[in-house]
Amino acid sequence: MNRRQFIRNTSQAASAAMLGSTAWASETGFPVVRVPETKRKFKSLAVERTIQRVRSSIGNKELAWMFENCFPNTLDTTVDFSMLDGRPDTYVITGDIDAMWLRDSTAQVWPYLPLMKEDSALQELIAGVINRQTRCILKDPYANAFYKDEKKESEWKSDSTEMKPGVHERKWEIDSLCYPIRLAYHYWKKTSDTAPLDISWREALLRTLRTFHEQQRKTGNGPYSFQRKTEVQSDTLAGGGYGNPVKPVGLICCMFRPSDDATVFPYLVPSNFFAVVSLRQAAEILEQVHHDRETATQCGILANEVEQGLHRYAIVTHRQYGRVYAYEVDAFGNFYCIDDGNVPSLLSLPYIGAVPCDDSIYLATRRLVLSDANPYYCQGKVAAGPGGPHVGMDMIWPLGLIVQALTSTDDGEIRQCLATLQRTHAGTGFMHEAFHKDDPGKFTRSWFAWANTIFGELILKVLKERPHLLS
């Protein structure tokens, strides 16, 4: 069977599944809000089978309906797949913004990785994401978001930084280079396919390593600076575009958070933890796929150095919760104890593989960030949950609630997160960026594919490990 025949057969099977979906929605009384089958960007038989399995396995029909809407949302609405120079190429928008973030594009396809073994077209799509991310990093390792058209000029072209055509935004975020490693590593582990991990991927990894070293700032500020003419303080950097000062101690400066807000203290702790994990994954690929022991060793040395810096400077004493991980530090003794609804966050450290769920300092940190000691934890009339500065006070992030559940080992806590997500989708059947703690009808971003897809990831995890919570 050639690829064209495979895709045609897959589409026919997916169409049959859609008929079943419509009938099921009619039976349960929930409206059909998923994108019509004829308008979907990509169709995966494995995803449709997963939806059918979940529908038949979950007693809570509203959660099952939400899963059916959310889990395939990335494939339904955001992917643009083609072949470029004989290789798969996948451009992934975030939803209502026509640009591809290195972070979001990884997170959006992440829950589909376990399904690749039963869907070769889906595997090819994800390989295309890796290929596209590689080209983006080679264009500019300091940029966080890109266009498909590599000649397109950005609406932010007047930013005081080295903007290039094809770059949407140039906010330096450590996680922008960690997420592509995470995707490539786990793709390789699940498929043994090394085609996307070619010489170009290795060159992008070398750029990543060089960028991390530059942003340790041991011999100066490095080549990156950023300023924007704006009324929004978090959209530009202090210090002449270099951010607030840090003491060079081996940690990596991160000028913007995963929310795209500027950091207060440039050593963003969750992102440095993510770098440790990613550097060790990169080292394994370099050694086993490229037989490049020298660069693999460099990755390991840097990972160890950052890890030691975290142990020395990121652990602080909170007057109520004791020894905790700070959100940001400067290594001069200043630190910031908050958390943000995005990922990586302090709450998400076990999710990204940085610390175990039972780590004592993590557990103390968790108690802090899920309490009123964190100024961005929201407790309202309708819901309580993690928020963040990006969309303002009193706004709960579904992404934060989902990560809270994904990292919890307590049935009651997970059940509460699920119940909150169920009653706050405002009748849409989808996740949003954030909603008001007193009124879920006041929400931001009606089309935010990452939040939708990770909700699907949560439902699958709970179904596998704690199915009684979905009855």
Side-chain angles (χ1 to χ4, degrees), residues 202 205-206 209 213 283 286-287 290-302:
R202 177 180 173 277
L205 193 280
L206 292 174
L209 188 59
H213 278 131
L286 287 165
E287 187 157 357
H290 292 278
H291 309 292
D292 183 355
R293 183 168 295 179
E294 180 181 352
T295 309
T297 299
Q298 292 177 25
C299 288
I301 291 171
L302 180 55

Side-chain angles (χ1 to χ4, degrees), residues 208-228:
T208 295
L209 188 59
R210 184 181 70 190
T211 302
F212 284 170
H213 278 131
E214 288 170 350
Q215 290 307 309
Q216 287 183 297
R217 299 194 178 179
K218 293 181 178 180
T219 58
N221 286 329
Y224 175 82
S225 65
F226 180 98
Q227 286 186 306
R228 175 178 293 174

Side-chain angles (χ1 to χ4, degrees), residues 127 164 189 388 430 437:
K164 299 177 181 178
K189 285 293 185 179
F430 291 100
K437 64 180 184 179

Side-chain angles (χ1 to χ4, degrees), residues 413-467:
E413 183 179 19
I414 297 169
R415 183 183 286 111
Q416 182 62 43
C417 290
L418 289 169
T420 301
L421 292 164
Q422 183 175 341
R423 70 172 178 269
T424 57
H425 62 83
T428 66
F430 291 100
M431 298 292 101
H432 305 118
E433 178 187 47
F435 63 88
H436 195 276
K437 64 180 184 179
D438 297 327
D439 182 2
K442 296 179 180 179
F443 59 79
T444 60
R445 299 191 69 178
S446 59
W447 179 19
F448 184 31
W450 178 8
N452 287 325
T453 312
I454 196 174
F455 172 79
E457 180 182 356
L458 171 62
I459 295 298
L460 290 173
K461 184 175 189 289
V462 176
L463 182 60
K464 179 180 178 181
E465 299 175 2
R466 304 168 192 265

